[in-house]
Amino acid sequence: MTCCAQDATQVASFDEVTRLLEDASTIAVCAHTSPDGDALGSELALIELIETRWPNKTVVGLLADDDVVPRIYQFLPGADRLVRAASYEGSPDVFFCVDLSQPGRLADAEAVLARSAHAVVLDHHPSGEHFWDAGVVRPEAAAAGVLVAEYALHLQGSLTPSMAQCLLCALMTDTGRFQYQNANGEAFRVASALVDAGASPSEVALRVYQSDRLGYLHLSATVMGRITTFERGKIAYSYATSADFAATGVPVAECDGLVDLVRRVDGSEIALFLKEVPGGKVRGNLRAKSDRDISCVAREMGGGGHPAAAGFTVEGDIDQALSVVLPKLRALYAQEEGVR
Ligand code: 5GP
Ligand code: MN
């Protein structure tokens, strides 16, 4: 099956990855901390691909830290086999990073990377650090899952239904159900190949977008009620506190979708959602609805990400985080007004 004519540079990089995998007997696969649908879907598909292609190799799938697999992604085939990096003591021949290219995003798994003989990467985040021996980092790819699908098709020409399902989940979640600016032709071509290989868009939609706990919907109502806009409605933000999580019984790790409520405000260009997380910290999700690049603000806050979707974690409470991040968002507009 072919879905996309692959560029020669990418093919050469895939072949280098294959050579390293062929020479390895133990391979660890890991995605980023606070794993989302792309991180988990890509990692699980990659594990199955390596095991199918090289049944005699030992493959371990790692979770970067103590985060459990979020409830909405537990349906992904293989989700129950992932191991916390802190409890894995091996020194693999190859450490395979997917959906990240910054060692800091590996959390506890950074120590496993340090013990590995070689590192390979398939990722779509801009401005990573070049610490790997082989791989592809292509920021215009809509999801890391696009690269995993293309690697699988390059390696063996086909995908199993379970790999296709994992990868469709990766693609649907990282493109916001094909609604974000990154939903390009390649994303649709790969999605089409995944559905042909047995992936079910309706099952992904059911599990990820139509299986909310009641408490989550109540929390959503609180978050929606707090949405505030400024800069003539161009910037919208909201937040959730530890007390909100306690009152609704929603685990902090299950709140990835709340920033999407904030971005719904008509006329808003930038959406910010903040939540208090354990350890006296606040995690921020930033989204841009236009071609404005908000990843620079995330980086200034010690985080990173893509131009239209980025995140950060800071010490303190919601008020302290807002007092630092809101002026930076306003400054994006002040600079523009200055040049007018
Ligand atoms: P989210 O807001 O959904 O957590 O993340 C949006 C995007 O930014 C994802 O691609 C994620 O990997 C990236 N991202 C989120 N937080 C961080 C961070 O702290 N550092 C870096 N480098 N990237 C981040
Ligand atoms: Mn991703």
Side-chain angles (χ1 to χ4, degrees), residues 32 36 99 102 105 124-125 283-287 302-306 309-313:
H32 57 77
D36 54 16
D99 200 26
Q102 273 194 339
R105 298 274 288 148
H124 68 139
H125 288 89
R283 169 128 193 93
N285 310 115
L286 276 166
R287 301 290 185 264
H306 310 276
F312 59 86
T313 304

PDB file of all heavy atoms in Angstrom, residues 32 36 99 102 105 124-125 283-287 302-306 309-313, ligand 1:
ATOM      1  N   HIS A  32       6.665  11.567  25.110  1.00  0.00           N
ATOM      2  CA  HIS A  32       6.892  12.639  26.093  1.00  0.00           C
ATOM      3  C   HIS A  32       6.047  12.495  27.361  1.00  0.00           C
ATOM      4  O   HIS A  32       5.050  11.785  27.401  1.00  0.00           O
ATOM      5  CB  HIS A  32       6.677  14.011  25.455  1.00  0.00           C
ATOM      6  CG  HIS A  32       5.322  14.226  24.845  1.00  0.00           C
ATOM      7  ND1 HIS A  32       4.206  14.484  25.597  1.00  0.00           N
ATOM      8  CD2 HIS A  32       4.912  14.236  23.553  1.00  0.00           C
ATOM      9  CE1 HIS A  32       3.167  14.651  24.786  1.00  0.00           C
ATOM     10  NE2 HIS A  32       3.567  14.497  23.541  1.00  0.00           N
ATOM     11  N   ASP A  36      -0.109  12.487  25.301  1.00  0.00           N
ATOM     12  CA  ASP A  36      -1.403  12.765  24.673  1.00  0.00           C
ATOM     13  C   ASP A  36      -1.687  11.658  23.647  1.00  0.00           C
ATOM     14  O   ASP A  36      -0.984  10.647  23.581  1.00  0.00           O
ATOM     15  CB  ASP A  36      -1.398  14.179  24.044  1.00  0.00           C
ATOM     16  CG  ASP A  36      -0.245  14.376  23.077  1.00  0.00           C
ATOM     17  OD1 ASP A  36       0.375  13.372  22.646  1.00  0.00           O
ATOM     18  OD2 ASP A  36       0.047  15.535  22.721  1.00  0.00           O
ATOM     19  N   ASP A  99       7.474  11.534  19.131  1.00  0.00           N
ATOM     20  CA  ASP A  99       6.708  12.736  19.494  1.00  0.00           C
ATOM     21  C   ASP A  99       7.476  13.635  20.463  1.00  0.00           C
ATOM     22  O   ASP A  99       6.878  14.404  21.194  1.00  0.00           O
ATOM     23  CB  ASP A  99       5.324  12.358  20.061  1.00  0.00           C
ATOM     24  CG  ASP A  99       4.338  13.525  19.980  1.00  0.00           C
ATOM     25  OD1 ASP A  99       4.505  14.397  19.116  1.00  0.00           O
ATOM     26  OD2 ASP A  99       3.385  13.551  20.794  1.00  0.00           O
ATOM     27  N   GLN A 102      13.350  16.655  22.548  1.00  0.00           N
ATOM     28  CA  GLN A 102      14.075  17.403  23.575  1.00  0.00           C
ATOM     29  C   GLN A 102      14.226  16.471  24.758  1.00  0.00           C
ATOM     30  O   GLN A 102      13.218  16.066  25.350  1.00  0.00           O
ATOM     31  CB  GLN A 102      13.254  18.605  24.031  1.00  0.00           C
ATOM     32  CG  GLN A 102      13.470  19.816  23.173  1.00  0.00           C
ATOM     33  CD  GLN A 102      12.924  21.071  23.826  1.00  0.00           C
ATOM     34  OE1 GLN A 102      12.079  20.994  24.702  1.00  0.00           O
ATOM     35  NE2 GLN A 102      13.392  22.202  23.378  1.00  0.00           N
ATOM     36  N   ARG A 105      11.989  16.588  27.883  1.00  0.00           N
ATOM     37  CA  ARG A 105      10.593  16.141  27.846  1.00  0.00           C
ATOM     38  C   ARG A 105      10.460  14.655  28.169  1.00  0.00           C
ATOM     39  O   ARG A 105       9.365  14.119  28.192  1.00  0.00           O
ATOM     40  CB  ARG A 105       9.997  16.434  26.465  1.00  0.00           C
ATOM     41  CG  ARG A 105       9.961  17.912  26.125  1.00  0.00           C
ATOM     42  CD  ARG A 105       8.722  18.567  26.654  1.00  0.00           C
ATOM     43  NE  ARG A 105       7.547  18.178  25.910  1.00  0.00           N
ATOM     44  CZ  ARG A 105       6.331  18.079  26.435  1.00  0.00           C
ATOM     45  NH1 ARG A 105       6.148  18.311  27.706  1.00  0.00           N
ATOM     46  NH2 ARG A 105       5.316  17.726  25.687  1.00  0.00           N
ATOM     47  N   HIS A 124       7.788  15.682  15.308  1.00  0.00           N
ATOM     48  CA  HIS A 124       7.337  16.823  14.495  1.00  0.00           C
ATOM     49  C   HIS A 124       7.379  18.132  15.289  1.00  0.00           C
ATOM     50  O   HIS A 124       6.711  19.085  14.912  1.00  0.00           O
ATOM     51  CB  HIS A 124       5.921  16.553  13.958  1.00  0.00           C
ATOM     52  CG  HIS A 124       4.866  16.525  15.015  1.00  0.00           C
ATOM     53  ND1 HIS A 124       3.618  17.094  14.834  1.00  0.00           N
ATOM     54  CD2 HIS A 124       4.857  16.005  16.258  1.00  0.00           C
ATOM     55  CE1 HIS A 124       2.899  16.910  15.932  1.00  0.00           C
ATOM     56  NE2 HIS A 124       3.614  16.252  16.800  1.00  0.00           N
ATOM     57  N   HIS A 125       8.143  18.155  16.396  1.00  0.00           N
ATOM     58  CA  HIS A 125       8.266  19.409  17.146  1.00  0.00           C
ATOM     59  C   HIS A 125       9.416  20.242  16.603  1.00  0.00           C
ATOM     60  O   HIS A 125      10.488  19.706  16.341  1.00  0.00           O
ATOM     61  CB  HIS A 125       8.539  19.126  18.629  1.00  0.00           C
ATOM     62  CG  HIS A 125       7.347  18.596  19.342  1.00  0.00           C
ATOM     63  ND1 HIS A 125       7.056  17.262  19.416  1.00  0.00           N
ATOM     64  CD2 HIS A 125       6.353  19.236  19.995  1.00  0.00           C
ATOM     65  CE1 HIS A 125       5.940  17.102  20.097  1.00  0.00           C
ATOM     66  NE2 HIS A 125       5.482  18.272  20.448  1.00  0.00           N
ATOM     67  N   ARG A 283       0.299  24.214  35.134  1.00  0.00           N
ATOM     68  CA  ARG A 283       0.603  23.810  33.752  1.00  0.00           C
ATOM     69  C   ARG A 283      -0.249  24.661  32.830  1.00  0.00           C
ATOM     70  O   ARG A 283      -1.443  24.883  33.085  1.00  0.00           O
ATOM     71  CB  ARG A 283       0.293  22.313  33.644  1.00  0.00           C
ATOM     72  CG  ARG A 283       0.292  21.798  32.292  1.00  0.00           C
ATOM     73  CD  ARG A 283       1.174  20.558  32.084  1.00  0.00           C
ATOM     74  NE  ARG A 283       1.300  20.372  30.661  1.00  0.00           N
ATOM     75  CZ  ARG A 283       2.287  20.853  29.925  1.00  0.00           C
ATOM     76  NH1 ARG A 283       3.304  21.458  30.467  1.00  0.00           N
ATOM     77  NH2 ARG A 283       2.285  20.698  28.629  1.00  0.00           N
ATOM     78  N   GLY A 284       0.365  25.191  31.785  1.00  0.00           N
ATOM     79  CA  GLY A 284      -0.354  26.054  30.839  1.00  0.00           C
ATOM     80  C   GLY A 284      -0.418  25.428  29.465  1.00  0.00           C
ATOM     81  O   GLY A 284       0.552  24.809  29.010  1.00  0.00           O
ATOM     82  N   ASN A 285      -1.574  25.548  28.831  1.00  0.00           N
ATOM     83  CA  ASN A 285      -1.721  25.149  27.419  1.00  0.00           C
ATOM     84  C   ASN A 285      -2.016  26.418  26.632  1.00  0.00           C
ATOM     85  O   ASN A 285      -2.920  27.162  26.990  1.00  0.00           O
ATOM     86  CB  ASN A 285      -2.900  24.198  27.206  1.00  0.00           C
ATOM     87  CG  ASN A 285      -2.921  23.030  28.161  1.00  0.00           C
ATOM     88  OD1 ASN A 285      -3.833  22.913  28.972  1.00  0.00           O
ATOM     89  ND2 ASN A 285      -1.936  22.174  28.097  1.00  0.00           N
ATOM     90  N   LEU A 286      -1.272  26.627  25.577  1.00  0.00           N
ATOM     91  CA  LEU A 286      -1.471  27.799  24.716  1.00  0.00           C
ATOM     92  C   LEU A 286      -1.864  27.341  23.318  1.00  0.00           C
ATOM     93  O   LEU A 286      -1.286  26.378  22.802  1.00  0.00           O
ATOM     94  CB  LEU A 286      -0.164  28.589  24.610  1.00  0.00           C
ATOM     95  CG  LEU A 286       0.137  29.585  25.716  1.00  0.00           C
ATOM     96  CD1 LEU A 286       1.593  30.017  25.657  1.00  0.00           C
ATOM     97  CD2 LEU A 286      -0.779  30.808  25.584  1.00  0.00           C
ATOM     98  N   ARG A 287      -2.810  28.022  22.714  1.00  0.00           N
ATOM     99  CA  ARG A 287      -3.207  27.689  21.351  1.00  0.00           C
ATOM    100  C   ARG A 287      -3.362  28.983  20.548  1.00  0.00           C
ATOM    101  O   ARG A 287      -3.842  29.979  21.069  1.00  0.00           O
ATOM    102  CB  ARG A 287      -4.552  26.946  21.320  1.00  0.00           C
ATOM    103  CG  ARG A 287      -4.582  25.646  22.112  1.00  0.00           C
ATOM    104  CD  ARG A 287      -3.727  24.559  21.461  1.00  0.00           C
ATOM    105  NE  ARG A 287      -3.823  23.289  22.123  1.00  0.00           N
ATOM    106  CZ  ARG A 287      -2.957  22.844  23.048  1.00  0.00           C
ATOM    107  NH1 ARG A 287      -1.923  23.581  23.418  1.00  0.00           N
ATOM    108  NH2 ARG A 287      -3.114  21.662  23.591  1.00  0.00           N
ATOM    109  N   GLY A 302       9.561  28.652  29.918  1.00  0.00           N
ATOM    110  CA  GLY A 302      10.303  27.432  30.236  1.00  0.00           C
ATOM    111  C   GLY A 302       9.766  26.180  29.562  1.00  0.00           C
ATOM    112  O   GLY A 302      10.214  25.081  29.854  1.00  0.00           O
ATOM    113  N   GLY A 303       8.784  26.342  28.662  1.00  0.00           N
ATOM    114  CA  GLY A 303       8.205  25.186  27.970  1.00  0.00           C
ATOM    115  C   GLY A 303       8.558  25.202  26.502  1.00  0.00           C
ATOM    116  O   GLY A 303       9.662  25.599  26.120  1.00  0.00           O
ATOM    117  N   GLY A 304       7.612  24.800  25.659  1.00  0.00           N
ATOM    118  CA  GLY A 304       7.872  24.777  24.229  1.00  0.00           C
ATOM    119  C   GLY A 304       6.696  24.200  23.495  1.00  0.00           C
ATOM    120  O   GLY A 304       5.606  24.082  24.055  1.00  0.00           O
ATOM    121  N   GLY A 305       6.907  23.823  22.231  1.00  0.00           N
ATOM    122  CA  GLY A 305       5.834  23.245  21.429  1.00  0.00           C
ATOM    123  C   GLY A 305       5.843  23.784  20.019  1.00  0.00           C
ATOM    124  O   GLY A 305       6.888  24.195  19.507  1.00  0.00           O
ATOM    125  N   HIS A 306       4.686  23.751  19.397  1.00  0.00           N
ATOM    126  CA  HIS A 306       4.531  24.170  17.999  1.00  0.00           C
ATOM    127  C   HIS A 306       4.055  25.622  17.943  1.00  0.00           C
ATOM    128  O   HIS A 306       3.531  26.136  18.927  1.00  0.00           O
ATOM    129  CB  HIS A 306       3.487  23.304  17.307  1.00  0.00           C
ATOM    130  CG  HIS A 306       3.701  21.841  17.486  1.00  0.00           C
ATOM    131  ND1 HIS A 306       4.542  21.102  16.696  1.00  0.00           N
ATOM    132  CD2 HIS A 306       3.186  20.973  18.388  1.00  0.00           C
ATOM    133  CE1 HIS A 306       4.529  19.844  17.090  1.00  0.00           C
ATOM    134  NE2 HIS A 306       3.715  19.736  18.113  1.00  0.00           N
ATOM    135  N   ALA A 309       0.379  25.396  18.960  1.00  0.00           N
ATOM    136  CA  ALA A 309      -0.005  24.589  20.138  1.00  0.00           C
ATOM    137  C   ALA A 309       1.235  24.356  20.975  1.00  0.00           C
ATOM    138  O   ALA A 309       2.154  23.677  20.536  1.00  0.00           O
ATOM    139  CB  ALA A 309      -0.596  23.242  19.717  1.00  0.00           C
ATOM    140  N   ALA A 310       1.264  24.967  22.149  1.00  0.00           N
ATOM    141  CA  ALA A 310       2.460  24.850  22.975  1.00  0.00           C
ATOM    142  C   ALA A 310       2.055  24.799  24.442  1.00  0.00           C
ATOM    143  O   ALA A 310       0.907  25.074  24.782  1.00  0.00           O
ATOM    144  CB  ALA A 310       3.397  26.035  22.707  1.00  0.00           C
ATOM    145  N   GLY A 311       3.000  24.449  25.287  1.00  0.00           N
ATOM    146  CA  GLY A 311       2.678  24.325  26.707  1.00  0.00           C
ATOM    147  C   GLY A 311       3.874  24.655  27.578  1.00  0.00           C
ATOM    148  O   GLY A 311       5.000  24.806  27.098  1.00  0.00           O
ATOM    149  N   PHE A 312       3.605  24.809  28.870  1.00  0.00           N
ATOM    150  CA  PHE A 312       4.671  25.120  29.830  1.00  0.00           C
ATOM    151  C   PHE A 312       4.212  24.732  31.227  1.00  0.00           C
ATOM    152  O   PHE A 312       3.012  24.524  31.460  1.00  0.00           O
ATOM    153  CB  PHE A 312       5.027  26.620  29.780  1.00  0.00           C
ATOM    154  CG  PHE A 312       3.865  27.528  30.096  1.00  0.00           C
ATOM    155  CD1 PHE A 312       3.556  27.872  31.416  1.00  0.00           C
ATOM    156  CD2 PHE A 312       3.053  28.013  29.076  1.00  0.00           C
ATOM    157  CE1 PHE A 312       2.472  28.697  31.701  1.00  0.00           C
ATOM    158  CE2 PHE A 312       1.960  28.835  29.361  1.00  0.00           C
ATOM    159  CZ  PHE A 312       1.672  29.182  30.678  1.00  0.00           C
ATOM    160  N   THR A 313       5.166  24.631  32.145  1.00  0.00           N
ATOM    161  CA  THR A 313       4.864  24.367  33.555  1.00  0.00           C
ATOM    162  C   THR A 313       5.673  25.359  34.384  1.00  0.00           C
ATOM    163  O   THR A 313       6.867  25.540  34.120  1.00  0.00           O
ATOM    164  CB  THR A 313       5.274  22.925  33.937  1.00  0.00           C
ATOM    165  OG1 THR A 313       4.614  22.025  33.037  1.00  0.00           O
ATOM    166  CG2 THR A 313       4.852  22.595  35.360  1.00  0.00           C
TER     167      THR A 313
HETATM  168  P1  5GP B   1      -0.174  20.717  25.386  1.00  0.00           P
HETATM  169  O1  5GP B   1      -0.551  22.135  25.600  1.00  0.00           O
HETATM  170  O2  5GP B   1      -1.271  19.953  24.709  1.00  0.00           O
HETATM  171  O3  5GP B   1       0.360  20.046  26.605  1.00  0.00           O
HETATM  172  O4  5GP B   1       1.042  20.733  24.375  1.00  0.00           O
HETATM  173  C1  5GP B   1       0.961  21.310  23.106  1.00  0.00           C
HETATM  174  C2  5GP B   1       2.238  20.991  22.362  1.00  0.00           C
HETATM  175  O5  5GP B   1       3.345  21.617  22.996  1.00  0.00           O
HETATM  176  C3  5GP B   1       2.541  19.502  22.328  1.00  0.00           C
HETATM  177  O6  5GP B   1       3.075  19.218  21.070  1.00  0.00           O
HETATM  178  C4  5GP B   1       3.561  19.313  23.407  1.00  0.00           C
HETATM  179  O7  5GP B   1       4.411  18.254  23.114  1.00  0.00           O
HETATM  180  C5  5GP B   1       4.289  20.654  23.426  1.00  0.00           C
HETATM  181  N1  5GP B   1       4.659  21.002  24.796  1.00  0.00           N
HETATM  182  C6  5GP B   1       3.815  21.121  25.840  1.00  0.00           C
HETATM  183  N2  5GP B   1       4.462  21.444  26.961  1.00  0.00           N
HETATM  184  C7  5GP B   1       5.768  21.534  26.645  1.00  0.00           C
HETATM  185  C8  5GP B   1       6.956  21.819  27.402  1.00  0.00           C
HETATM  186  O8  5GP B   1       6.927  22.058  28.603  1.00  0.00           O
HETATM  187  N3  5GP B   1       8.119  21.805  26.686  1.00  0.00           N
HETATM  188  C9  5GP B   1       8.168  21.542  25.365  1.00  0.00           C
HETATM  189  N4  5GP B   1       9.359  21.563  24.751  1.00  0.00           N
HETATM  190  N5  5GP B   1       7.073  21.262  24.629  1.00  0.00           N
HETATM  191  C10 5GP B   1       5.898  21.259  25.244  1.00  0.00           C
END
